[in-house]
Amino acid sequence: MAVGRRSKSFKQRAKGRKKVGACIESLPKEVIITVLALVASKSLTDLINAKLSCKYLLQISDDDFIFQKASMDKFSIFPWWNMTKQVSRFLKRCEESGNPEWLYILGLYEYFSMSKTSPGWNYLKRAADKGHVKSSYVYSIILICSGGELKQHGLKLLASLKRFRTREFRMKIRENFRWIWTRNMITINIEAEDFSSRGCDCLKNWNGGRWEGEDAAVPCCDSCFCHREVMFFSEVIWSHYLFKQ
């Protein structure tokens, strides 16, 4: 008798899942993909639960847009040799789909840890072009250190980030570098014509020149803002330089 009740209960749940699946299938596919992408950007656990709820969601969750928006927060990015094949396949799909957070991580690793400047540059540029703030920050400083026209483009890009609370993403960048050793040191030449604003009072607002504790709420000119951020970034990568004596 108890077995019969359990069997009936199982059938009822299965029937209920079919009804849910049928209701979901009646919605426009683009709407469902957008909702799943939003779920993926907040919690991969919730995305997995959604995929397991019905066959239709499992099928539709393979869309590139969902991988592009997937959160990287739950992954232990480094060391990569501990990754399972399943995780490796997932991250490869994120790369192919243009997930900006994963492109940023790949860019840091390739450019600074592996000294593969060309692929690292491309990863960071791809993420920056998608509006990823941390990538734009790192990419702009690389451009500044490249000299010539690239330097001018980098200065403009870095100055455009003043509208964000730079303290927050600086802390995140420092945290990212905790997991890698820097083998490729970029050369930072701070020239007077690039960074010095003679006659400005910006330094008086910066707590005696301590850069890291401040953010974009502190009034400063573009020139001094760029000076502050380049100095901060140089300190971060130097602190993790593998060949430091």
Side-chain angles (χ1 to χ4, degrees):
M1 191 72 177
V3 174
R5 285 198 297 270
R6 286 198 296 270
S7 178
K8 184 178 180 180
S9 177
F10 176 80
K11 291 179 180 179
Q12 289 176 339
R13 290 197 299 271
K15 187 176 181 180
R17 284 196 293 269
K18 288 181 179 179
K19 288 182 178 180
V20 171
C23 292
I24 291 176
E25 289 182 39
S26 67
L27 297 173
K29 182 179 179 180
E30 294 75 13
V31 172
I32 301 175
I33 290 174
T34 300
V35 172
L36 288 176
L38 180 61
V39 172
S41 69
K42 302 297 184 182
S43 170
L44 291 179
T45 301
D46 290 343
L47 175 65
I48 293 172
N49 290 334
K51 291 168 64 175
L52 295 175
S53 66
C54 70
K55 290 183 179 179
Y56 183 67
L57 288 183
L58 180 62
Q59 295 171 354
I60 205 172
S61 63
D62 196 48
D63 192 89
D64 283 346
F65 185 66
I66 297 173
F67 286 90
Q68 185 184 124
K69 299 296 183 181
S71 169
M72 297 289 108
D73 291 344
K74 296 298 182 181
F75 286 97
S76 179
I77 303 301
F78 303 105
W80 288 348
W81 55 83
N82 286 335
M83 284 185 183
T84 65
K85 291 183 178 180
Q86 185 178 11
V87 170
S88 181
R89 286 196 298 268
F90 174 80
L91 293 175
K92 183 63 178 178
R93 186 68 185 277
C94 288
E95 176 191 344
E96 294 170 348
S97 303
N99 183 297
E101 181 67 18
W102 183 238
L103 293 176
Y104 161 74
I105 294 295
L106 286 174
L108 290 188
Y109 181 73
E110 294 290 338
Y111 195 96
F112 294 101
S113 186
M114 300 304 294
S115 295
K116 297 179 180 179
T117 56
S118 181
W121 172 296
N122 289 331
Y123 283 130
L124 290 169
K125 184 179 186 303
R126 284 176 62 191
D129 289 344
K130 291 176 177 291
H132 190 262
V133 178
K134 291 186 293 182
S135 297
S136 298
Y137 182 91
V138 176
Y139 179 61
S140 66
I141 293 177
I142 292 174
L143 291 177
I144 290 171
C145 298
S146 299
E149 294 182 2
L150 292 177
K151 176 184 288 187
Q152 297 306 313
H153 177 59
L155 288 168
K156 291 180 181 178
L157 178 59
L158 184 57
S160 71
L161 301 179
K162 283 178 66 178
R163 66 184 185 277
F164 298 99
R165 294 186 64 82
T166 53
R167 180 182 181 182
E168 295 177 6
F169 62 78
R170 266 194 256 117
M171 291 174 63
K172 293 178 180 179
I173 288 173
R174 183 183 285 281
E175 179 66 21
N176 293 145
F177 270 93
R178 285 183 57 193
W179 300 100
I180 63 175
W181 283 108
T182 304
R183 292 180 174 87
N184 179 35
M185 283 293 296
I186 55 178
T187 303
I188 298 177
N189 296 315
I190 303 178
E191 301 173 5
E193 62 266 29
D194 291 333
F195 300 110
S196 295
S197 288
R198 298 183 181 279
C200 75
D201 295 325
C202 298
L203 287 175
K204 294 180 180 179
N205 298 319
W206 287 350
N207 190 27
R210 288 190 60 192
W211 313 120
E212 186 177 351
E214 309 303 335
D215 57 39
V218 177
C220 67
C221 63
D222 289 352
S223 179
C224 289
F225 174 80
C226 290
H227 178 277
R228 177 183 76 179
E229 301 309 324
V230 169
M231 291 301 297
F232 163 76
F233 190 75
S234 66
E235 292 172 1
V236 169
I237 60 176
W238 174 250
S239 65
H240 295 276
Y241 186 46
L242 186 61
F243 306 111
K244 181 168 54 177
Q245 294 180 349

